Amino acid sequence: MDIHFTPEELAFRSEVRAFLEQNLPADIAEKVRLGRRLSKEDHQRWQKILNKQGWYAVNWPVEYGGTGWSVVQKHIFDEECAAAGAPRLVAFGVNMVAPVIIKFGTQAQKDYYLPRILRSEDWWCQGYSEPGAGSDLASLKTRAERDGDHYVVNGQKTWTTLGQHANRIFCLVRTDPSAKKQEGISFLLIDMDTPGITVRPIITLDGEHEVNEVFFDNVRVPVENLVGEENKGWTCAKYLLTHERTGQAGIGLSKAALAHLKDIAGAETVAGRPLIDDPLFRARIAEVEMRLMAVEMSTLRILAATRDGGVPGAESSLLKIQGSEIRQAISGLMRKALGPNALPFLEPELEPEFDGEPLYRDYSASPASQYFNLRKLSIYGGSNEIQKNIIAKQVLEL
């Protein structure tokens, strides 16, 4: 095992860094740095820049427009993007449904959907969770009944992230209610403009419209929109979830957030001295930084094993737990650094086009919002409790 970067990988890091310096729009990077909300147009603008470079679909095979990068190159790319303030890619199209279409879709589905994803012509959302079917996803109840050359879909999805922007949704639907839970499920691609679909916003604790409920009332979906075999959608679902969990340790994001925390702690003062010189607060930063260094080393060790032909196993569950807890810890320290100045919640300061005078500092508007928003990290993509169960079974053999 060699966890050190090769000369070629270091050269690749320099190439990525130079590209970001020249092509990442300054206004978008500034919004990311200050934790402001990004518009749909911001995301699409950055996606098109990456696609022009050929770096948008990093996980796709080369023949479909992917980069062909190694897992180490993808790690370097993610780390450099986070450090530069690039927006995190909206994964539902390029990194979630696209790999499923490539693996299980028909040639017609590949020819139609994949180029549209590359060109950012489609915005996808995910129709997985339902009321009563989140961590226990196989309990989903949304029905799809065959009627000639269509399925008729009825039911409800929830926690549909950015569904208000989407023109397409990929859904798990139950096509055989008499089968066992994981059987009788199918994977459908649905046009959000189809009559019978209603999107209703869910305003979260931080005041943001990030997630939605989606209702299906006799929605007719052409049979050719089925991916894979009917009643075999659970196979597609599991394959997609492996891509969703990829990179959930968020090393690059945590390193960027930690650097921002240090900047804030250097600017804020206590008794006339920079907060970062306070021994107790300094120790808290050091503790979370050491945890982050440990997770980074573990990530590199796992990547090294993968580079040598290994396959990540329960280690990915360890990274998911530690990565999510570290990001939450950094967001907590960010609020402590600001003290009472983190308390005012002024939503206009978070809007993409805000150019007014901040109540306190330009960096003080977002930490409270991010703190509440990041509580979700220990739930989505398989809750941390589920990951601990995996570790208990596969590592500890309990």
Side-chain angles (χ1 to χ4, degrees):
M1 180 185 72
D2 183 359
I3 61 172
H4 297 95
F5 293 118
T6 65
E8 292 76 16
E9 288 163 349
L10 292 174
F12 174 75
R13 183 185 291 278
S14 298
E15 180 186 1
V16 173
R17 193 169 293 176
F19 167 78
L20 290 167
E21 289 174 355
Q22 296 170 12
N23 294 279
L24 176 61
D27 63 312
I28 292 179
E30 182 69 355
K31 290 177 186 175
V32 172
R33 184 183 73 83
L34 297 176
R36 288 185 181 162
R37 294 165 182 165
L38 296 176
S39 66
K40 180 179 180 179
E41 290 71 27
D42 289 331
H43 285 289
Q44 290 179 321
R45 182 156 50 117
W46 178 232
Q47 290 169 188
K48 289 177 180 178
I49 291 171
L50 288 176
N51 187 46
K52 184 179 179 182
Q53 178 73 5
W55 288 1
Y56 179 38
V58 298
N59 294 315
W60 295 15
V62 173
E63 60 266 33
Y64 293 110
T67 59
W69 288 344
S70 67
V71 290
V72 177
Q73 286 177 303
K74 293 173 188 174
H75 171 76
I76 291 172
F77 180 70
D78 288 343
E79 194 172 68
E80 289 299 321
C81 284
R88 194 172 192 185
L89 294 183
V90 179
F92 305 109
V94 67
N95 287 333
M96 293 173 72
V97 73
V100 172
I101 292 173
I102 291 171
K103 177 76 172 179
F104 302 100
T106 64
Q107 190 59 48
Q109 289 169 342
K110 296 173 187 174
D111 292 343
Y112 182 73
Y113 290 112
L114 298 181
R116 293 178 63 87
I117 291 173
L118 283 177
R119 296 192 297 263
S120 297
E121 293 176 0
D122 287 335
W123 184 295
W124 287 86
C125 61
Q126 182 181 33
Y128 268 31
S129 294
E130 298 181 4
S135 294
D136 185 15
L137 185 59
S139 294
L140 63 92
K141 291 182 168 47
T142 295
R143 292 281 306 277
E145 297 177 277
R146 186 74 178 261
D147 180 20
D149 56 358
H150 284 74
Y151 290 101
V152 179
V153 180
N154 284 282
Q156 178 189 353
K157 298 294 179 180
T158 192
W159 309 122
T160 310
T161 303
L162 300 179
Q164 72 271 28
H165 298 324
N167 64 323
R168 303 198 184 272
I169 183 171
F170 54 89
C171 275
L172 291 178
V173 294
R174 188 161 297 284
T175 42
D176 183 358
S178 64
K180 294 180 180 178
K181 281 184 14 177
Q182 284 82 3
E183 299 173 4
I185 292 173
S186 298
F187 192 101
L188 290 182
L189 310 176
I190 303 177
D191 187 335
M192 292 286 279
D193 292 329
T194 310
I197 295 180
T198 302
V199 179
R200 192 163 69 187
I202 299 173
I203 304 302
T204 50
L205 189 60
D206 58 351
E208 186 164 5
H209 178 194
E210 184 182 21
V211 290
N212 302 268
E213 296 174 291
V214 181
F215 298 88
F216 299 85
D217 183 11
N218 290 319
V219 176
R220 297 184 68 81
V221 180
V223 169
E224 58 260 32
N225 286 19
L226 172 72
V227 179
E229 297 180 44
E230 186 176 279
N231 298 327
K232 300 295 182 183
W234 191 246
T235 302
C236 298
K238 289 188 296 183
Y239 185 76
L240 184 146
L241 285 172
T242 62
H243 286 269
E244 183 181 9
R245 289 170 184 160
T246 300
Q248 280 192 346
I251 302 298
L253 293 171
S254 289
K255 292 175 81 170
L258 187 63
H260 189 49
L261 169 63
K262 290 179 179 178
D263 288 342
I264 292 176
E268 298 296 310
T269 58
V270 175
R273 298 177 59 193
L275 176 61
I276 201 166
D277 291 340
D278 177 81
L280 180 57
F281 197 80
R282 196 178 182 86
R284 288 172 171 167
I285 292 179
E287 180 183 359
V288 76
E289 185 163 16
M290 285 189 287
R291 290 181 65 190
L292 178 56
M293 290 172 66
V295 172
E296 183 178 20
M297 291 304 296
S298 296
T299 299
L300 292 173
R301 179 174 55 81
I302 292 168
L303 289 177
T306 304
R307 182 171 53 190
D308 296 336
V311 178
E315 297 94 334
S316 59
S317 295
L318 287 166
L319 296 181
K320 196 271 178 179
I321 294 169
Q322 286 295 318
S324 58
E325 290 181 352
I326 287 170
R327 289 181 64 193
Q328 290 173 340
I330 293 173
S331 70
L333 287 175
M334 203 89 77
R335 292 185 67 209
K336 289 182 182 297
L338 284 165
N341 290 309
L343 289 177
F345 179 68
L346 302 175
E347 196 169 354
E349 292 191 23
L350 298 175
E351 294 301 324
E353 306 308 327
F354 176 77
D355 60 356
E357 188 71 22
L359 180 65
Y360 178 55
R361 303 278 177 84
D362 60 358
Y363 54 69
S364 64
S366 64
S369 171
Q370 290 180 345
Y371 173 85
F372 290 120
N373 189 283
L374 291 181
R375 299 308 100 186
K376 69 188 178 187
L377 293 181
S378 44
I379 299 174
Y380 73 33
S383 69
N384 284 7
E385 286 75 15
I386 294 291
Q387 305 310 313
K388 290 175 182 177
N389 283 342
I390 292 172
I391 295 166
K393 289 180 180 177
Q394 297 186 14
V395 179
L396 304 177
E397 299 182 351
L398 296 176

